[in-house]
Amino acid sequence: MNEEQFVQELEKRGISLSETQIAQFRRYYELLVEWNEKMNLTAITDREQVYLKHFYDSVSAAFQAPFDGPLTVCDVGAGAGFPSIPLKICFPELRVTIIDSLNKRITFLDELGKELGLDHVHFVHARAEEAGRNPEFREAFDVVTARAVARLPVLAELCLPLVKEGGRFISMKAAAAGEEMREAEYAVKLLGGRLKESHSFLLPVEDSERNIFIIEKVARTPKKYPRKPGTPGKLPLVK
């Protein structure tokens, strides 16, 4: 997917990019490749692959859920900024917080935010389990996103404690994610969530499968969750 195709595909979905936004994506790609030589941010560095598998894939969350207006968005384990930075470029009013456990990635994201001229972006060096117990972040966000970070029973415990009641947790997955969702049903309910929608679609150009699960926060998360760092991964909340 080249830049022109990227712009056209978003236009088809009702997302029109200005010249400034197009330039921001271009600079994002340049910085990603430049910093990737110093640290491992992504295995994908080919321009057309980055535009398809990182930029377009990230923005696809907005095809299924509204991202207009000054929503507070928390991105857990965003790595090089996916999906929240592409969403922020497309929807400048978003107020984005990225939580990542690796300080080197936070350094990159901080530089990226400055270079792209993004406002209302906040980068936090922490484990998601720690953030979920921090009063500043617990049940504080309209939307929490995670893209291919961990299996859904684990992700539910990392993300749902951060979602305010009435908010949404959006999990972005690759192929064959239905089994993960079934496995996560117990955790989602226990943590105050309820599956609202699931969407399966194919990325353009290469027709690879993607899945998006939109989970509503319908009740407060019990105080004992999230458990201490590392525990959700080792002992997922499954029946």
Side-chain angles (χ1 to χ4, degrees), residues 1-235:
M1 175 179 278
N2 60 34
E3 184 182 278
E4 186 180 355
Q5 289 171 315
F6 174 68
V7 173
Q8 288 172 351
E9 287 293 332
L10 293 191
E11 186 78 44
K12 288 179 193 174
R13 296 285 190 160
I15 300 171
S16 300
L17 298 183
S18 67
E19 287 302 321
T20 298
Q21 290 166 308
I22 293 168
Q24 285 176 312
F25 276 111
R26 198 176 299 146
R27 185 64 181 135
Y28 193 169
Y29 170 74
E30 293 168 354
L31 287 166
L32 181 67
V33 172
E34 181 185 318
W35 280 70
N36 203 55
E37 292 177 2
K38 299 181 273 188
M39 65 178 75
N40 182 27
L41 290 169
T42 176
I44 299 169
T45 55
D46 174 78
R47 184 184 295 269
E48 294 197 355
Q49 290 290 298
V50 168
Y51 269 79
L52 176 65
K53 293 185 176 179
H54 284 328
F55 295 167
Y56 183 88
D57 189 44
S58 292
V59 180
S60 69
F63 305 162
Q64 316 299 346
F67 275 88
D68 316 81
L71 293 172
T72 53
V73 177
C74 180
D75 194 358
V76 171
F82 309 121
S84 56
I85 298 298
L87 286 166
K88 170 68 176 173
I89 293 172
C90 291
F91 303 97
E93 290 186 9
L94 295 178
R95 295 169 179 265
V96 172
T97 298
I98 290 179
I99 294 169
D100 200 279
S101 61
L102 195 62
N103 201 39
K104 287 193 296 184
R105 285 197 291 258
I106 295 294
T107 302
F108 163 72
L109 291 167
D110 194 47
E111 185 64 26
L112 177 69
K114 289 173 186 168
E115 281 270 347
L116 300 187
L118 302 178
D119 61 0
H120 300 298
V121 290
H122 185 206
F123 307 113
V124 179
H125 175 223
R127 295 283 295 258
E129 299 96 327
E130 297 164 339
R133 288 188 166 276
N134 184 331
E136 183 181 354
F137 305 120
R138 185 177 179 87
E139 298 187 317
F141 297 96
D142 297 311
V143 180
V144 175
T145 59
R147 180 175 173 262
V149 175
R151 288 186 67 79
L152 264 168
V154 179
L155 269 186
E157 187 170 357
L158 300 181
C159 295
L160 276 168
L162 298 162
V163 185
K164 64 171 63 168
E165 278 190 84
R168 293 165 288 154
F169 162 40
I170 299 177
S171 174
M172 306 178 71
K173 290 283 183 179
E179 180 58 38
E180 271 191 58
M181 189 64 244
R182 287 187 288 275
E183 189 185 343
E185 285 174 0
Y186 172 74
V188 166
K189 185 176 180 181
L190 179 67
L191 297 161
R194 178 177 64 200
L195 179 64
K196 182 184 179 187
E197 301 169 35
S198 61
H199 301 273
S200 185
F201 63 98
L202 299 177
L203 282 183
V205 183
E206 65 171 33
D207 289 343
S208 53
E209 184 185 334
R210 293 292 185 269
N211 290 275
I212 293 178
F213 299 104
I214 300 174
I215 295 168
E216 284 183 304
K217 185 72 172 283
V218 294
R220 300 197 72 161
T221 298
K223 287 183 180 178
K224 65 187 285 189
Y225 302 109
R227 292 166 293 170
K228 66 181 183 179
T231 303
K234 290 174 187 168
L235 298 168

